[in-house]
Amino acid sequence: MIDFKSGYFTMKEEDAILYAETMLNFFDAGAELSCKEIGDGNLNYVFRVVDNNTGKSIIIKQAGPVARISDEFKLSTDRNRIEYEILKLQNDLAPGLVPKVYKYDPIMSCCVMEDLSDHVIMRKALMAYNQFPRFAEDITTFMVNTLLLTSDVVMGHKEKKELVKSFINPELCEITEDLVYTEPFIDHPRNDVFPPTKAFAETALWSDKNLLLETAKLKFEFMQNAQSLLHGDLHTGSIFIREDATKVIDPEFAFYGPAGYDVGNVIANLIFAYMHADATISEAGKKEEYKAWLTATIVEIIDLFKRKFLEAWQEKATEAVSRYTGFDSFYLEGIIRDTSAVTGLELCRRVLGIAHVKDITAIPDENKRARAEKICLAAGKRFILERADIQAGADFVRVLQEVEAMLWPSVFDHFNN
Ligand code: SR1
Ligand code: MG
């Protein structure tokens, strides 16, 4: 008989059923349980356990000892504790915007949480050209509440330092330091470059010493600036969405870092959706309408984030010097500068590095995929280099559209498609 108390092992679907039956007080005695492993991320196993009679369901998420994407990444299963604790904290800070968590099991390194199967993963929904009118409102509330309220501006400094300690996350931070800030900007053996994009990466990125220098500065900003308790991986695959609801999931990369890291990830991943729509919608009117919704959403997110951030600062700041004239705007400018830089880093790393996004890899036409990738790289480079001048929502869209206009499909591509 399997015992979940004597030591860790990686569960299979049948183990997750037994776990639900023997370790949780969730299903009725006569429940007829079935289970499917539904994880599609790079790291963990996600079991959905359902009572076939009532439809009642739950998620058991287990951290494995190595990443699913590659067993090169050996990772502490403590990330599951981080995920559980931060989801509880985020639910206090931004109620209703994360799933409810019910239990953390330090032996099995699993946590048990609300099943959100009535939502869809946002990346998939965007790739099917769906629009979400509430998203900008919800994600800016989530980001302002989780980022500002965990910073020294609002939180007592001793309490904040306790959180810095308990969310030290060295292995997952190392993944980001390597995969986001280092490898994509050199011809690194772990990169996975689409062959038609390689020459462009060599000329536009890898041979640019100034760009390398800026990425070095940004990497040290990421490692040294314990500004806010970040989600740490806030891409559209970490968001469950419905027309009337937004739920942020998967905060296992959480740690104290620069607030712009989260905001930049959101913006870059909307740009991936934009490039996917551009390459795959054939009807011109529909394409322009969908791209216009995405650019309006990018503008709204940046501008609303700034507005809500300053309002929350007025209402909630406790730090003695925080009300000196101009300090709030100075502080926010730094976050938006970092947002621009991280938008650029994320755009480059998802194209060149080991961890891709489906928005780009699922573009079936090779010429169109290569064009989308080059736009991401060229725009990414500008978001990094020009970060000091990118402050309004409209600036983000301007850079994207200027690059898009420069890399207009050639006459040759038109004849080929
Ligand atoms: C080895 S993990 C690769 C990527 O997947 C996660 O979602 C993070 O984005 C990480 O960089
Ligand atoms: Mg994830």
Side-chain angles (χ1 to χ4, degrees):
M1 173 74 178
I2 291 172
D3 161 12
F4 296 100
K5 294 187 178 146
S6 335
Y8 173 88
F9 65 93
T10 45
M11 288 194 273
K12 301 268 179 294
E13 290 172 347
E14 56 275 20
D15 303 317
I17 293 180
L18 191 61
Y19 189 90
E21 285 168 347
T22 57
M23 303 293 286
L24 307 179
N25 205 2
F26 183 76
F27 294 105
D28 301 334
E32 199 186 292
L33 300 186
S34 62
C35 173
K36 200 163 165 28
E37 201 281 309
I38 55 167
D40 67 349
N42 293 326
L43 298 180
N44 302 298
Y45 299 90
V46 181
F47 300 97
R48 178 168 187 257
V49 183
V50 186
D51 178 349
N52 298 329
N53 295 326
T54 61
K56 198 173 168 187
S57 59
I58 205 162
I59 295 293
I60 303 173
K61 179 169 179 180
Q62 185 180 38
V66 294
R68 293 178 86 155
I69 187 176
S70 155
D71 54 18
E72 259 184 59
F73 300 99
K74 309 217 170 357
L75 303 169
S76 158
T77 48
D78 183 52
R79 65 186 189 275
N80 200 265
R81 173 196 62 84
I82 290 186
E83 175 156 1
Y84 172 76
E85 286 182 2
I86 196 159
L87 281 172
K88 278 200 305 182
L89 184 67
Q90 287 172 340
N91 195 48
D92 293 340
L93 297 169
L97 293 173
V98 294
K100 292 192 197 84
V101 281
Y102 303 123
K103 174 189 168 97
Y104 165 62
D105 179 336
I107 297 174
M108 292 303 293
S109 292
C110 67
C111 58
V112 181
M113 65 182 89
E114 181 184 8
D115 179 21
L116 296 170
S117 299
D118 55 340
H119 296 60
V120 283
I121 286 291
M122 187 172 186
R123 187 182 307 287
K124 286 188 191 149
L126 296 178
M127 287 175 64
Y129 322 123
N130 290 299
Q131 299 185 17
F132 296 97
R134 271 184 72 110
F135 178 64
E137 186 66 48
D138 284 348
I139 201 69
T140 50
T141 299
F142 175 83
M143 292 192 295
V144 168
N145 290 12
T146 58
L147 298 173
L148 179 62
L149 306 191
T150 59
S151 73
D152 283 306
V153 177
V154 174
M155 195 170 257
H157 304 333
K158 293 200 193 87
E159 190 191 347
K160 181 213 156 187
K161 286 181 176 68
E162 283 305 315
L163 286 184
V164 174
K165 255 199 304 194
S166 70
F167 291 106
I168 286 286
N169 199 346
E171 287 163 350
L172 276 75
C173 283
E174 186 181 49
I175 290 181
T176 304
E177 289 151 20
D178 293 344
L179 266 50
V180 178
Y181 286 87
T182 312
E183 296 171 11
F185 299 95
I186 53 178
D187 190 3
H188 192 278
R190 200 154 53 184
N191 286 338
D192 178 20
V193 184
F194 184 48
T197 303
K198 189 156 185 190
F200 189 86
E202 273 162 354
T203 332
L205 271 73
W206 297 340
S207 55
D208 186 335
K209 291 208 169 67
N210 185 38
L211 179 65
L212 271 187
L213 172 61
E214 295 310 310
T215 61
K217 293 179 194 169
L218 293 166
K219 183 175 181 181
F220 272 68
E221 164 81 6
F222 179 80
M223 294 189 294
Q224 297 178 343
N225 181 4
Q227 184 175 38
S228 296
L229 185 49
L230 307 186
H231 175 283
D233 198 24
L234 193 47
H235 54 80
T236 48
S238 296
I239 297 168
F240 261 124
I241 199 151
R242 276 192 330 212
E243 206 168 308
D244 61 341
T246 306
K247 304 271 184 186
V248 175
I249 61 167
D250 274 8
E252 66 205 319
F253 281 77
F255 84 112
Y256 260 91
Y261 192 79
D262 279 355
V263 192
N265 264 282
V266 172
I267 300 301
N269 281 273
L270 291 173
I271 293 176
F272 291 132
Y274 177 95
M275 294 316 311
H276 178 265
D278 182 63
T280 58
I281 302 178
S282 46
E283 198 189 306
K286 196 175 160 205
K287 185 196 299 241
E288 288 319 312
E289 191 220 322
Y290 195 61
K291 287 170 71 185
W293 176 73
L294 284 164
T295 51
T297 303
I298 291 171
V299 171
E300 201 184 348
I301 289 173
I302 296 292
D303 296 348
L304 208 50
F305 175 83
K306 290 170 70 176
R307 202 183 79 212
K308 289 184 185 178
F309 190 92
L310 292 174
E311 283 166 6
W313 183 299
Q314 278 310 310
E315 200 186 314
K316 302 219 156 95
T318 60
E319 155 61 39
V321 304
S322 67
R323 291 182 192 273
Y324 292 178
T325 306
F327 186 62
D328 53 356
S329 306
F330 164 84
Y331 188 102
L332 180 56
E333 263 172 38
I335 293 179
I336 302 301
R337 192 173 55 235
D338 290 343
T339 296
S340 172
V342 172
T343 300
L345 292 160
E346 175 76 359
L347 284 173
C348 295
R349 75 95 166 202
R350 295 290 189 184
V351 168
L352 301 177
I354 190 181
H356 296 293
V357 287
K358 288 222 173 70
D359 320 47
I360 300 298
T361 57
I363 297 172
D365 180 302
E366 291 209 344
N367 288 327
K368 289 182 178 170
R369 173 171 169 186
R371 176 172 175 271
E373 292 197 351
K374 287 172 196 169
I375 291 172
C376 290
L377 296 180
K381 178 173 171 173
R382 285 192 56 185
F383 284 124
I384 294 169
L385 296 180
E386 296 171 29
R387 62 192 183 279
D389 301 320
I390 295 174
Q391 280 291 320
D395 294 333
F396 284 79
V397 171
R398 173 182 51 77
V399 168
L400 172 63
Q401 290 179 338
E402 282 173 5
V403 170
E404 196 185 9
M406 278 179 64
L407 293 177
W408 196 246
S410 65
V411 175
F412 177 78
D413 287 340
H414 275 305
F415 280 116
N416 271 297
N417 295 326

